[in-house]
Amino acid sequence: MVPLLKAGGRRAIANLFSGLASSYHWMLAFRFISGLPHGAFFGVAALVAASVARPGQRGAAVARVMMGITLALLVGNPLAVSLGQTLSWRYAFIAVTVGALITVALVAVALPTDRKEKPTHPLTELGDFNRAPVWLALLVGAVGFAGMFCVFSYLAPTMLNTTRVCANWIPFGVAAFGVGSLIGAQLGGWLFDRFRSQAVAISLLGALVVLLIYPLAATSSLTIIPAVVLLGTMGTLAPIMQIHLMDVAKGAQTLAAASNQAAFNVANALGPWAGGVAITAGLPWESTGFVGAALALAALIIWWLAPRRIKEHSHPDGQD
């Protein structure tokens, strides 16, 4: 609980100073500082959720944490923009600060304190972190999730140039992706609770099918929105990889949980780059679906070819 409180408190302070920044350079510095605890906060939040969940329901618990992230993007961002446009951008940061402080207070009150919890040394965590099962999970997550970002990053120009809808459709496309992400996060938790690490392959196979469908669906205004909802369901991989990482990390669970966010950030860079290469080469906008499918297939092959011993792990709830 303590790392979660520290990360939340630091983000609150950094957001407060962002709202009080006197120049662009100070703003840039405080935004950088506020981003430093990002991975730790969400990683530890998932770790805590899994630790307090009932046996056999760890996937569902982590999925709820992921749902909170999606809701923040869908609801929080528009509200912050509206507040900034109506009053001032400073008030948006003040509101975020207040929300962060309320979150820290609720965590302190609601979460049980584990008196037997022993603090881990960073060097000890690094030793346990530097193992093949951990790096395999991070690699699969980074490559597998890149396919989703490859398509989503070019969604707007695809809708305008391939689907040939007006710009007013783009917010509906973004909202459709958010709806799919909400469904995907919950589905991912359900899959892990029932299939354990085999859920990784199931999720990647589903992503492969969705990405192959997308180029065909993008040509019609009747199918583009359902296709984007399906694209959002690729979020099943997020809770699956999060829990799998915590299981294989042994003594480096905190570091591994936070690193999952870093893997997704790598995917957020790799996917748009790969899609940009295809588009620059003269391929149509919808070709990002095929590029994304290639990335999902690569992640699936990496997972299948990995030796069984680095994919196996024990579960705290006593199930293998």
Side-chain angles (χ1 to χ4, degrees):
M1 181 177 73
V2 174
L4 194 60
L5 293 175
K6 289 182 178 179
R10 288 166 183 167
R11 294 197 73 184
I13 294 171
N15 280 313
L16 175 62
F17 279 102
S18 297
L20 300 175
S22 58
S23 67
Y24 172 76
H25 294 95
W26 280 113
M27 165 67 76
L28 189 64
F30 289 129
R31 297 317 299 148
F32 175 79
I33 294 172
S34 69
L36 290 177
H38 173 83
F41 181 83
F42 289 112
V44 174
L47 182 61
V48 171
S51 66
V52 299
R54 295 177 180 177
Q57 295 184 1
R58 293 185 306 139
V62 173
R64 292 190 187 98
V65 175
M66 300 299 175
M67 182 174 67
I69 299 173
T70 304
L71 285 174
L73 293 173
L74 285 176
V75 180
N77 278 1
L79 287 177
V81 171
S82 177
L83 184 60
Q85 292 175 341
T86 304
L87 298 175
S88 167
W89 60 269
R90 296 185 186 275
Y91 286 99
F93 282 110
I94 299 301
V96 171
T97 300
V98 172
L101 291 175
I102 292 174
T103 301
V104 170
L106 291 174
V107 167
V109 171
L111 281 183
T113 300
D114 187 0
R115 303 294 182 183
K116 298 180 181 180
E117 182 181 4
K118 296 180 180 180
T120 57
H121 194 278
L123 293 180
T124 302
E125 284 220 5
L126 282 174
D128 287 333
F129 180 83
N130 192 24
R131 297 168 48 250
V134 176
W135 287 106
L136 171 66
L138 292 174
L139 177 61
V140 169
V143 178
F145 237 108
M148 183 189 75
F149 288 115
C150 177
V151 174
F152 183 68
S153 298
Y154 299 98
L155 176 61
T158 301
M159 292 180 68
L160 293 175
N161 298 294
T162 300
T163 317
R164 298 191 179 280
V165 295
C166 64
N168 293 335
W169 277 60
I170 293 176
F172 293 101
V174 175
F177 179 81
V179 171
S181 297
L182 287 173
I183 297 171
Q186 303 312 300
L187 180 59
W190 181 86
L191 285 172
F192 190 90
D193 286 337
R194 282 152 183 79
F195 299 102
R196 304 299 177 182
S197 58
Q198 294 179 7
V200 176
I202 296 172
S203 177
L204 289 172
L205 280 171
L208 181 61
V209 172
V210 167
L211 290 166
L212 289 174
I213 291 174
Y214 176 79
L216 300 176
T219 60
S220 171
S221 60
L222 296 177
T223 54
I224 182 62
I225 297 299
V228 176
V229 172
L230 288 176
L231 178 68
T233 62
M234 286 181 62
T236 55
L237 191 61
I240 291 171
M241 296 310 303
Q242 186 78 65
I243 308 173
H244 178 73
L245 260 173
M246 293 186 296
D247 285 342
V248 300
K250 294 187 177 180
Q253 287 194 337
T254 303
L255 183 57
S259 297
N260 194 42
Q261 303 298 319
F264 291 155
N265 286 333
V266 171
N268 201 3
L270 175 61
W273 172 81
V277 169
I279 294 169
T280 303
L283 295 177
W285 292 100
E286 68 272 19
S287 66
T288 54
F290 294 124
V291 177
L295 289 168
L297 179 61
L300 185 59
I301 291 174
I302 292 171
W303 179 258
W304 269 341
L305 294 182
R308 182 179 179 83
R309 66 180 181 277
I310 69 173
K311 293 188 289 186
E312 291 177 340
H313 54 276
S314 60
H315 299 276
D317 54 20
Q319 295 176 328
D320 293 330

